[in-house]
Amino acid sequence: MICARVILAWGVCLICVACSYDPAALIAKADALSEQQHQHLASQYDYQLTPQTPHTVIESEQFYVPELAKSTVDKPIWYSQPLQTQLLKVPLLQALQTVFTPLNVTVLVDPEVDAQRLISSEFSGTVGEWLAWLSNGQQLFVEYEPYAVHLKRYQVKRYDLAFLAGTTQFSLNEQAAQQAQGDQAGQLGFSSSQSLAWKELEQAITLMLSDQGHVALNANASALLVKDTPSVIKQVDRYINQLNKSLTRQVALDVQVIEVRFDDSEQFTVDWSSVRRTSQGTPWLTSQSGSDNWLQQAAGRFILSPLSGPRNSIDILVQALQEQGQVKVSHHPRILTLNHQVAQLLVEEEQAYLAESEVSTTPYVGQQQRLKPGKLTTGFRMFVLPNILKRDVLLHLSSQMSALQGMNVVQSGDNMIQTPHTSRKHFFLKALVGHEETLLLTGFRNQTVQAGRTRSGVSWLLGGGQQKSRENSETLLLITPRIVGVNNE
């Protein structure tokens, strides 16, 4: 009896030991301990959150249909049928009939395709994958129909180009700027000349074509038609996609004109050394001339780098210029244009004046005076052609600034006319400016002389009856390009 009790006790101990080493029980105990620790930390620290168990199983009583692959969305039903083939040096047409006859699919082969070409394949997959392997290896173009498959030697594809319909006409050169006749030309360096953009595009596509390839352009519809092998069509695809992506990029141009009227009559231009000292060591003003003494030059091109903080570099520039005279800032409308497309900004004023005066005498009638008015246009005019290079913009600028200085009166007998006195400034240049940087153009100096008479008799006796006052000023042009869609990182 005692032996039986001892044996039973040993059996119970063995069962307990076996249960204590059960893996499932140990895992459950470890998970419970981990949950207890997270709860304890969450109660002591508010930022310590208890991890949630991810839901990996979703139960639903509805039928589940997996999403089709993009390559099979617009394909016929037979495209996804399973296929296993073992073909050894079989003519192409015979191999196609072997695969598609059981599927009740008609095989069409163009005369340009060598139907007796021998092929070998040991394939396991779908019909569509086998066709992709065949077309890639034999350089064939495959058209899919519900109950037919058509093999062609050449593929014909139409491309829509990001060009304006018709012919874009402009020219960027110094000669065109010199030939422009003021307001009558209206282009200021962008003269009207036949553009070769479409011809150059045709030449670029022709370089990619094979000996049997063809290309046709339709400038009125901004379309391109290419016929060639599938491998060549893939190259044209990449080129057209890159071209359209480049042409559809946009640039926003902010234009500001600053006029500085100097307090000192002996100062003719901005003291850039004084302006630079206000930066307090911040490299926000640099020159594009490359000269060491650029701070002393009277004209030049500078770059204002963007600054982080509540104030930007233009505000610092205006504050520094106010120490040298009266500053007037004029903001112009923002220009939004596409890459490689000409944009213009016109802010002009028109003023009428008496251009001609003529008195004619008619017998038995008397004298008749005829007046002919004239029109004077002054203001700011700018044409710009941007070229985006990653995060930089290559600007082609042609601009004119004009102002009315005065209106003189010329009289001959009873006839009198008005002759306007204007000042004009032209410039045509190219500059490379970074995204959100500011191009600063200087050197447009003005000088106004006003003459008057003194009322003092003593001054008149001493020969000082004439008194002249001279006012110097300088006009600064600031252009800030911003590439649309570029991050500020």
Side-chain angles (χ1 to χ4, degrees):
M1 188 66 180
I2 297 175
C3 295
R5 291 181 178 179
V6 173
I7 294 173
L8 181 60
W10 276 103
V12 172
C13 292
L14 291 175
I15 293 174
C16 293
V17 172
C19 293
S20 62
Y21 288 98
D22 185 13
L26 293 176
I27 293 175
K29 185 180 295 185
D31 293 340
L33 181 61
S34 177
E35 181 72 17
Q36 183 180 0
Q37 291 178 350
H38 282 294
Q39 291 292 346
H40 178 68
L41 292 174
S43 61
Q44 291 185 351
Y45 306 100
D46 297 335
Y47 59 86
Q48 184 73 24
L49 301 178
T50 304
Q52 298 180 358
T53 305
H55 297 282
T56 57
V57 178
I58 300 177
E59 297 181 359
S60 176
E61 296 180 357
Q62 299 178 356
F63 291 103
Y64 172 71
V65 179
E67 185 178 358
L68 295 177
K70 294 182 179 180
S71 59
T72 61
V73 170
D74 56 346
K75 300 300 189 299
I77 299 177
W78 52 261
Y79 187 86
S80 301
Q81 294 295 324
L83 175 66
Q84 290 185 356
T85 62
Q86 290 184 355
L87 304 175
L88 180 61
K89 295 184 179 180
V90 178
L92 175 62
L93 182 58
Q94 180 181 348
L96 293 170
Q97 292 174 349
T98 302
V99 173
F100 288 100
T101 299
L103 301 174
N104 295 325
V105 176
T106 304
V107 177
L108 303 176
V109 180
D110 275 5
E112 297 173 340
V113 179
D114 185 7
Q116 301 303 320
R117 182 186 307 173
L118 299 180
I119 64 171
S120 300
S121 69
E122 184 175 352
F123 182 83
S124 178
T126 62
V127 177
E129 294 172 350
W130 183 77
L131 273 179
W133 168 82
L134 181 65
S135 62
N136 183 59
Q138 304 298 326
Q139 281 299 298
L140 300 175
F141 175 64
V142 182
E143 285 187 349
Y144 306 95
E145 299 179 10
Y147 300 101
V149 58
H150 196 171
L151 273 72
K152 299 181 179 180
R153 181 71 180 92
Y154 301 105
Q155 180 181 358
V156 179
K157 190 170 183 179
R158 180 184 182 273
Y159 299 93
D160 292 325
L161 303 174
F163 284 176
L164 297 177
T167 305
T168 304
Q169 298 181 355
F170 63 87
S171 176
L172 286 172
N173 52 66
E174 294 288 351
Q175 184 178 2
Q178 297 175 1
Q179 292 177 354
Q181 299 177 358
D183 299 329
Q184 297 180 358
Q187 299 251 351
L188 298 177
F190 295 85
S191 64
S192 178
S193 60
Q194 190 68 22
S195 175
L196 301 178
W198 289 100
K199 185 177 181 180
E200 293 175 354
L201 176 62
E202 184 178 7
Q203 292 176 353
I205 298 298
T206 305
L207 292 176
M208 306 179 190
L209 302 181
S210 62
D211 296 338
Q212 292 79 22
H214 299 281
V215 58
L217 291 172
N218 188 350
N220 294 326
S222 299
L224 175 71
L225 200 65
V226 180
K227 177 183 178 182
D228 213 314
T229 59
S231 60
V232 175
I233 294 297
K234 291 181 181 179
Q235 296 181 8
V236 178
D237 282 344
R238 290 191 292 267
Y239 177 76
I240 296 298
N241 291 335
Q242 293 176 359
L243 181 63
N244 286 337
K245 184 178 179 181
S246 175
L247 293 175
T248 53
R249 300 187 69 183
Q250 298 185 86
V251 181
L253 299 172
D254 294 329
V255 181
Q256 298 179 7
V257 178
I258 299 178
E259 184 179 2
V260 184
R261 296 184 179 274
F262 302 110
D263 297 334
D264 187 1
S265 60
E266 300 299 328
Q267 184 176 356
F268 296 93
T269 184
V270 175
D271 185 5
W272 292 106
S273 300
S274 176
V275 173
R276 187 64 182 270
R277 284 194 296 269
T278 61
S279 62
Q280 299 178 354
T282 305
W284 62 278
L285 180 64
T286 57
S287 172
Q288 288 192 335
S289 63
S291 175
D292 296 335
N293 57 347
W294 60 272
L295 289 174
Q296 286 76 28
Q297 60 188 3
R301 288 180 284 181
F302 304 98
I303 294 295
L304 300 181
S305 302
L307 299 177
S308 59
R311 300 182 61 192
N312 54 30
S313 55
I314 298 180
D315 294 337
I316 298 178
L317 174 64
V318 172
Q319 182 181 2
L321 294 176
Q322 289 175 349
E323 298 179 0
Q324 304 184 32
Q326 300 179 1
V327 179
K328 180 181 178 182
V329 182
S330 60
H331 299 270
H332 296 284
R334 171 176 290 186
I335 305 176
L336 183 63
T337 183
L338 292 174
N339 192 20
H340 305 294
Q341 294 294 332
V342 179
Q344 62 177 351
L345 175 63
L346 301 178
V347 182
E348 297 179 337
E349 296 180 358
E350 293 184 354
Q351 182 174 352
Y353 65 96
L354 181 59
E356 295 182 9
S357 177
E358 180 180 357
V359 178
S360 60
T361 304
T362 305
Y364 308 105
V365 176
Q367 294 183 347
Q368 184 179 6
Q369 188 175 14
R370 183 175 64 88
L371 303 178
K372 182 179 180 181
K375 184 178 67 173
L376 178 65
T377 303
T378 58
F380 177 73
R381 174 181 298 183
M382 184 181 70
F383 293 83
V384 58
L385 177 64
N387 183 12
I388 301 177
L389 305 173
K390 295 182 180 180
R391 290 182 62 91
D392 296 328
V393 181
L394 180 62
L395 295 177
H396 306 253
L397 296 173
S398 176
S399 181
Q400 170 185 287
M401 290 183 288
S402 59
L404 178 62
Q405 300 294 329
M407 192 76 70
N408 299 326
V409 177
V410 179
Q411 186 173 3
S412 176
D414 295 335
N415 296 334
M416 181 183 64
I417 63 173
Q418 293 177 312
T419 58
H421 173 58
T422 61
S423 62
R424 295 180 182 271
K425 297 180 178 64
H426 300 263
F427 67 88
F428 185 87
L429 56 89
K430 301 177 183 180
L432 183 64
V433 188
H435 170 64
E436 292 192 343
E437 291 183 347
T438 301
L439 174 64
L440 172 61
L441 303 177
T442 68
F444 308 108
R445 293 180 293 177
N446 305 311
Q447 186 177 47
T448 304
V449 179
Q450 297 180 354
R453 292 181 177 273
T454 59
R455 296 183 180 180
S456 174
V458 178
S459 176
W460 179 79
L461 291 175
L462 297 177
Q466 295 288 341
Q467 182 179 10
K468 293 183 179 181
S469 61
R470 183 174 57 187
E471 186 180 57
N472 299 323
S473 63
E474 184 173 357
T475 303
L476 311 178
L477 179 61
L478 294 90
I479 303 174
T480 306
R482 291 179 172 86
I483 305 174
V484 179
V486 174
N487 297 327
N488 296 328
E489 298 178 356

